[in-house]
Amino acid sequence: LVPDPRRNRLDIARQATAFIIAGSVGFLMVATLSATFTKILDVSPFLTWFPAAAIAVACTWIINRIWTFESRDPRKLLELSRYFAVSLFTAAINYLAYCTGLVLLGQAGLDLQSAATIFLAAAIGSLIAAILTFILSRDFVFRSPEMALPAPDPTSDFKKQ
């Protein structure tokens, strides 16, 4: 991963602010959908997280592509595949933190069927994953094509002779 040296602090601050807003939308979607699916379907909150997270990832990719990182990369499929790879990695971290939060909150005597408990556990997972997701999105998923490392020249050894 090669950071874009043209980025200045104001650009990073703008991106971070937009990312926080996009992530807040994603968080609210995961937490609300998880709680809704748990209540309506009478399913464990450990399971309702998966469809809720999948819906949120699709929405946050659109927001981050258009607004946060203003991607103009015509290679949308490549960008989308990188986004899903990062999302799967950070979702695993998010889910681990979410489950840990649910277990700890349950041990503290809170009701696991309560929307407040589910929201708190979702907040724990989301905060941890958000920091890592921002860095990977900025420097890997949405980096400008001209900032990517150039492919090695296989004939470079011959040119030296």
Side-chain angles (χ1 to χ4, degrees), residues 110-129:
L110 297 174
D111 177 14
L112 291 183
Q113 298 296 318
S114 162
T117 303
I118 294 169
F119 270 66
L120 185 54
I124 292 166
S126 294
L127 180 62
I128 292 168

Side-chain angles (χ1 to χ4, degrees), residues 54-73:
I55 294 166
V57 165
C59 291
T60 58
W61 176 72
I62 294 167
I63 295 167
N64 283 322
R65 175 174 171 74
I66 294 169
W67 186 45
T68 306
F69 299 104
E70 299 174 346
S71 178
R72 302 288 185 260
D73 192 340

Side-chain angles (χ1 to χ4, degrees), residues 1-7 11 15 69-75 78-79 82 138-151:
L1 302 177
V2 178
D4 187 338
R6 296 174 296 166
R7 287 196 181 107
D11 189 40
Q15 287 177 338
F69 299 104
E70 299 174 346
S71 178
R72 302 288 185 260
D73 192 340
R75 302 170 302 166
L78 175 63
E79 182 183 274
R82 289 190 305 229
R138 182 191 67 200
D139 295 337
F140 176 62
V141 174
F142 296 106
R143 71 173 183 248
S144 59
E146 61 271 6
M147 294 313 300
L149 289 174

Side-chain angles (χ1 to χ4, degrees), residues 30-46:
V30 169
T32 302
L33 290 172
S34 292
T36 301
F37 294 159
T38 297
K39 289 291 183 191
I40 291 175
L41 302 175
D42 195 28
V43 177
S44 167
F46 289 97

